Amino acid sequence: MKFWISSILFIFLCTTQAQEIYFPADTLWESKSPETFDLSLDAAINFAKKNEYSGARDLEQAILKGFEREPFHKIMGPVKRRGGPAGLILKNGYKIAEWGDIQRVDMTFSVTKSFLSTTALIALQKNIIRNLNDTVSGYVWDGTFDDPHNSKITWKHLLQQNSDWSGELWDSHDWADRPSASGNIDSWRSRKLNEPGTFFKYNDVRVNVLAYSLLQVFRKPLPAVLKENIMDPIGASHSWRWFGYDNSWTTIDGYKMQSVSGGGHSGGGMFINTKDMARFGLLFLNNGVWNNEKLLEKDLIREALTPSTSNTNYGYMWWLNAEGDRHMDGLDKDLFYAAGFGGNFIIIDQKQKLVIVTRWLEPSKLEEFLNLIYKNQ
């Protein structure tokens, strides 16, 4: 009798632990009120609605204005007019708040980078890349990494944005992407290169070099890799798209394939709805496990969220709230997030089991918005 009662108790405890995080079905996402978790979110939601990104809803105009100081900058990939403020907040996987049109597919700009780095984790997990400290020149042999400087660049350098890769890809020069405030074209072109791993520089050309290099090792388009290994297993919709540029096509094993971009600052990148962004965030909240199915190794996620030596607030294309220049006061130092132009964010708090997706929030208002969420906890 005692054994029977103990067995029932053990099964109950295991089931309770397994259900600690709720995972939505393909068509159903259970909601709970914020008050269930002693949260009050009205002030934060109203704040997000009132503090819409100040740039034009015509994103072609917003992009050209936002990057007007870059020489030779132009739109090379798809661009879509955006919607208004939207968002979704999850607690323990349950939907506890939403605003705006969460079904609308919009551009996400550099949120795309966190999807891109996830494909690199998949390559490592499948042993397509043996070690992220390997030089990329050992895998990509077409001249992209042949010169003395570029030949020292590792996969980790590309993921941490400290490679200082030098060259041209898809008619874009690395030095023309977010150039320094001082100087001119001549000084930007002739700048001294930094030793790979020593200097952080946010640079979409180098991010696109990573995407191109991953295409070379997978031998199949990255959207297909992401769909098969992540988006389909987490029940994402079929509405998301991941684009490259009009000219970012290459031939792999006789097949013409598009190399995708890691952002939308020249167009392209990830076009996705708010609900699918939240599903992606929920996977990382639960350390790569979706409804008892392990999609990503926990150790790989931990590695992706480790601060780099060149920027304590940056891992493998995830922003970290560690101590540093981008630390947000009043918020836990272990919080991490994906961030994109125009105020697109996926914020993940593993301790509080919160996923917060907000879209078209004035970027400078993020810290204030988050503090409104946490102030009543």
Side-chain angles (χ1 to χ4, degrees), residues 24 38 51 142 190 205 212 255 261 271 277 313 354 356:
D38 296 321
N51 287 275
D142 62 0
S190 60
V205 176
Y212 172 75
Y255 294 93
S261 64
F271 289 51
M277 291 170 71
N313 294 123
L354 281 169
I356 303 161

PDB file of all heavy atoms in Angstrom, residues 24 38 51 142 190 205 212 255 261 271 277 313 354 356:
ATOM      1  N   PRO A  24       2.083  26.135 -25.960  1.00  0.00           N
ATOM      2  CA  PRO A  24       0.839  26.253 -26.721  1.00  0.00           C
ATOM      3  C   PRO A  24       0.756  25.244 -27.849  1.00  0.00           C
ATOM      4  O   PRO A  24       1.773  24.861 -28.446  1.00  0.00           O
ATOM      5  CB  PRO A  24       0.905  27.679 -27.273  1.00  0.00           C
ATOM      6  CG  PRO A  24       2.371  27.995 -27.342  1.00  0.00           C
ATOM      7  CD  PRO A  24       2.976  27.286 -26.165  1.00  0.00           C
ATOM      8  N   ASP A  38       0.175  37.776  -9.694  1.00  0.00           N
ATOM      9  CA  ASP A  38       0.434  39.000  -8.931  1.00  0.00           C
ATOM     10  C   ASP A  38       1.134  40.057  -9.773  1.00  0.00           C
ATOM     11  O   ASP A  38       2.055  40.747  -9.306  1.00  0.00           O
ATOM     12  CB  ASP A  38       1.255  38.701  -7.668  1.00  0.00           C
ATOM     13  CG  ASP A  38       0.507  37.805  -6.692  1.00  0.00           C
ATOM     14  OD1 ASP A  38      -0.715  38.001  -6.553  1.00  0.00           O
ATOM     15  OD2 ASP A  38       1.139  36.908  -6.102  1.00  0.00           O
ATOM     16  N   ASN A  51       4.034  55.071 -26.932  1.00  0.00           N
ATOM     17  CA  ASN A  51       5.420  55.378 -27.295  1.00  0.00           C
ATOM     18  C   ASN A  51       5.842  54.600 -28.534  1.00  0.00           C
ATOM     19  O   ASN A  51       6.848  53.887 -28.545  1.00  0.00           O
ATOM     20  CB  ASN A  51       6.355  55.095 -26.119  1.00  0.00           C
ATOM     21  CG  ASN A  51       6.230  56.126 -25.022  1.00  0.00           C
ATOM     22  OD1 ASN A  51       6.864  57.182 -25.056  1.00  0.00           O
ATOM     23  ND2 ASN A  51       5.391  55.831 -24.034  1.00  0.00           N
ATOM     24  N   ASP A 142      36.332  29.535 -50.845  1.00  0.00           N
ATOM     25  CA  ASP A 142      36.149  30.258 -52.107  1.00  0.00           C
ATOM     26  C   ASP A 142      36.829  31.621 -52.147  1.00  0.00           C
ATOM     27  O   ASP A 142      36.562  32.422 -53.036  1.00  0.00           O
ATOM     28  CB  ASP A 142      34.654  30.421 -52.398  1.00  0.00           C
ATOM     29  CG  ASP A 142      33.933  31.237 -51.320  1.00  0.00           C
ATOM     30  OD1 ASP A 142      34.588  31.666 -50.355  1.00  0.00           O
ATOM     31  OD2 ASP A 142      32.712  31.440 -51.452  1.00  0.00           O
ATOM     32  N   SER A 190      41.016  52.895 -45.453  1.00  0.00           N
ATOM     33  CA  SER A 190      42.402  52.576 -45.109  1.00  0.00           C
ATOM     34  C   SER A 190      42.611  52.354 -43.617  1.00  0.00           C
ATOM     35  O   SER A 190      43.746  52.374 -43.142  1.00  0.00           O
ATOM     36  CB  SER A 190      43.314  53.718 -45.583  1.00  0.00           C
ATOM     37  OG  SER A 190      42.949  54.945 -44.963  1.00  0.00           O
ATOM     38  N   VAL A 205      27.369  43.716 -42.789  1.00  0.00           N
ATOM     39  CA  VAL A 205      28.096  43.019 -43.854  1.00  0.00           C
ATOM     40  C   VAL A 205      28.758  41.774 -43.281  1.00  0.00           C
ATOM     41  O   VAL A 205      28.692  40.685 -43.876  1.00  0.00           O
ATOM     42  CB  VAL A 205      29.133  43.950 -44.518  1.00  0.00           C
ATOM     43  CG1 VAL A 205      29.936  43.181 -45.562  1.00  0.00           C
ATOM     44  CG2 VAL A 205      28.441  45.149 -45.167  1.00  0.00           C
ATOM     45  N   TYR A 212      26.290  33.635 -45.114  1.00  0.00           N
ATOM     46  CA  TYR A 212      26.825  33.017 -46.324  1.00  0.00           C
ATOM     47  C   TYR A 212      27.679  31.796 -45.985  1.00  0.00           C
ATOM     48  O   TYR A 212      27.588  30.744 -46.641  1.00  0.00           O
ATOM     49  CB  TYR A 212      27.653  34.039 -47.101  1.00  0.00           C
ATOM     50  CG  TYR A 212      28.411  33.472 -48.272  1.00  0.00           C
ATOM     51  CD1 TYR A 212      27.756  33.125 -49.450  1.00  0.00           C
ATOM     52  CD2 TYR A 212      29.792  33.275 -48.198  1.00  0.00           C
ATOM     53  CE1 TYR A 212      28.452  32.589 -50.520  1.00  0.00           C
ATOM     54  CE2 TYR A 212      30.495  32.748 -49.264  1.00  0.00           C
ATOM     55  CZ  TYR A 212      29.819  32.400 -50.424  1.00  0.00           C
ATOM     56  OH  TYR A 212      30.521  31.865 -51.483  1.00  0.00           O
ATOM     57  N   TYR A 255      22.756  23.894 -57.480  1.00  0.00           N
ATOM     58  CA  TYR A 255      21.463  24.518 -57.230  1.00  0.00           C
ATOM     59  C   TYR A 255      21.662  25.986 -56.859  1.00  0.00           C
ATOM     60  O   TYR A 255      22.534  26.324 -56.047  1.00  0.00           O
ATOM     61  CB  TYR A 255      20.731  23.813 -56.088  1.00  0.00           C
ATOM     62  CG  TYR A 255      20.325  22.392 -56.410  1.00  0.00           C
ATOM     63  CD1 TYR A 255      21.150  21.320 -56.079  1.00  0.00           C
ATOM     64  CD2 TYR A 255      19.115  22.121 -57.046  1.00  0.00           C
ATOM     65  CE1 TYR A 255      20.786  20.014 -56.376  1.00  0.00           C
ATOM     66  CE2 TYR A 255      18.734  20.820 -57.340  1.00  0.00           C
ATOM     67  CZ  TYR A 255      19.579  19.770 -57.008  1.00  0.00           C
ATOM     68  OH  TYR A 255      19.211  18.484 -57.307  1.00  0.00           O
ATOM     69  N   SER A 261      19.932  37.550 -45.301  1.00  0.00           N
ATOM     70  CA  SER A 261      20.597  38.610 -44.547  1.00  0.00           C
ATOM     71  C   SER A 261      20.292  38.463 -43.063  1.00  0.00           C
ATOM     72  O   SER A 261      19.283  37.887 -42.668  1.00  0.00           O
ATOM     73  CB  SER A 261      20.152  39.994 -45.043  1.00  0.00           C
ATOM     74  OG  SER A 261      18.774  40.184 -44.815  1.00  0.00           O
ATOM     75  N   PHE A 271      10.848  38.298 -41.654  1.00  0.00           N
ATOM     76  CA  PHE A 271       9.503  38.871 -41.614  1.00  0.00           C
ATOM     77  C   PHE A 271       8.648  37.867 -40.824  1.00  0.00           C
ATOM     78  O   PHE A 271       8.525  36.711 -41.238  1.00  0.00           O
ATOM     79  CB  PHE A 271       8.924  39.028 -43.013  1.00  0.00           C
ATOM     80  CG  PHE A 271       9.554  40.105 -43.863  1.00  0.00           C
ATOM     81  CD1 PHE A 271      10.930  40.199 -44.045  1.00  0.00           C
ATOM     82  CD2 PHE A 271       8.749  41.044 -44.509  1.00  0.00           C
ATOM     83  CE1 PHE A 271      11.499  41.182 -44.835  1.00  0.00           C
ATOM     84  CE2 PHE A 271       9.300  42.047 -45.309  1.00  0.00           C
ATOM     85  CZ  PHE A 271      10.688  42.118 -45.470  1.00  0.00           C
ATOM     86  N   MET A 277       7.363  35.063 -32.795  1.00  0.00           N
ATOM     87  CA  MET A 277       8.500  35.570 -32.033  1.00  0.00           C
ATOM     88  C   MET A 277       8.427  35.096 -30.586  1.00  0.00           C
ATOM     89  O   MET A 277       9.439  34.721 -29.984  1.00  0.00           O
ATOM     90  CB  MET A 277       8.530  37.104 -32.089  1.00  0.00           C
ATOM     91  CG  MET A 277       8.866  37.669 -33.459  1.00  0.00           C
ATOM     92  SD  MET A 277       8.621  39.468 -33.558  1.00  0.00           S
ATOM     93  CE  MET A 277       9.981  40.073 -32.560  1.00  0.00           C
ATOM     94  N   ASN A 313      28.129  42.955 -22.949  1.00  0.00           N
ATOM     95  CA  ASN A 313      26.677  42.958 -23.160  1.00  0.00           C
ATOM     96  C   ASN A 313      26.271  42.204 -24.425  1.00  0.00           C
ATOM     97  O   ASN A 313      25.140  42.351 -24.888  1.00  0.00           O
ATOM     98  CB  ASN A 313      26.143  44.390 -23.243  1.00  0.00           C
ATOM     99  CG  ASN A 313      26.278  45.145 -21.940  1.00  0.00           C
ATOM    100  OD1 ASN A 313      26.885  46.204 -21.893  1.00  0.00           O
ATOM    101  ND2 ASN A 313      25.736  44.607 -20.859  1.00  0.00           N
ATOM    102  N   LEU A 354       9.489  34.746 -17.805  1.00  0.00           N
ATOM    103  CA  LEU A 354       8.784  35.733 -18.606  1.00  0.00           C
ATOM    104  C   LEU A 354       9.382  35.816 -20.006  1.00  0.00           C
ATOM    105  O   LEU A 354      10.606  35.802 -20.171  1.00  0.00           O
ATOM    106  CB  LEU A 354       8.884  37.119 -17.964  1.00  0.00           C
ATOM    107  CG  LEU A 354       7.965  37.439 -16.782  1.00  0.00           C
ATOM    108  CD1 LEU A 354       8.405  38.742 -16.121  1.00  0.00           C
ATOM    109  CD2 LEU A 354       6.511  37.557 -17.243  1.00  0.00           C
ATOM    110  N   ILE A 356       8.800  38.513 -23.164  1.00  0.00           N
ATOM    111  CA  ILE A 356       8.152  39.784 -23.488  1.00  0.00           C
ATOM    112  C   ILE A 356       8.517  40.143 -24.927  1.00  0.00           C
ATOM    113  O   ILE A 356       9.695  40.317 -25.244  1.00  0.00           O
ATOM    114  CB  ILE A 356       8.614  40.904 -22.534  1.00  0.00           C
ATOM    115  CG1 ILE A 356       8.335  40.514 -21.080  1.00  0.00           C
ATOM    116  CG2 ILE A 356       7.944  42.226 -22.890  1.00  0.00           C
ATOM    117  CD1 ILE A 356       9.143  41.311 -20.070  1.00  0.00           C
TER     118      ILE A 356
END
